């Protein structure tokens, strides 16, 4: 599933109640970044723009 936050875009892979979030690094342009954790926490923080 593709998600957007402002001009940021990410791919979210749901596995049960957990997700993998693939996006660009929040402070280093051109560098990839991924995060794994509870869906409610990871997705909410991405949409609100907070760095985990």
């Amino acid at each position: 599933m593709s998600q957007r936050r402002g001009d940021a875009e990410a791919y979210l892979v749901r596995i049960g109640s957990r997700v993998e979030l693939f996006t660009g690094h929040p402070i280093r342009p051109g560098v990839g970044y991924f995060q794994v954790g509870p869906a409610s926490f990871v997705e909410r923080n991405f949409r609100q723009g907070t760095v985990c």
Side-chain angles (χ1 to χ4, degrees):
M1 160 183 3
S2 178
Q3 300 286 316
R4 290 191 73 77
R5 178 194 75 214
D7 61 351
E9 185 172 334
Y11 291 95
L12 208 61
V13 179
R14 183 176 284 275
I15 303 168
S17 64
R18 299 179 67 78
V19 295
E20 294 177 348
L21 175 78
F22 298 89
T23 188
H25 195 278
I27 59 174
R28 294 195 60 200
V31 176
Y33 177 79
F34 85 99
Q35 183 178 2
V36 177
S40 59
F41 179 78
V42 172
E43 185 175 355
R44 181 183 68 237
N45 284 341
F46 174 74
R47 289 181 182 274
Q48 293 176 352
T50 57
V51 178
C52 301

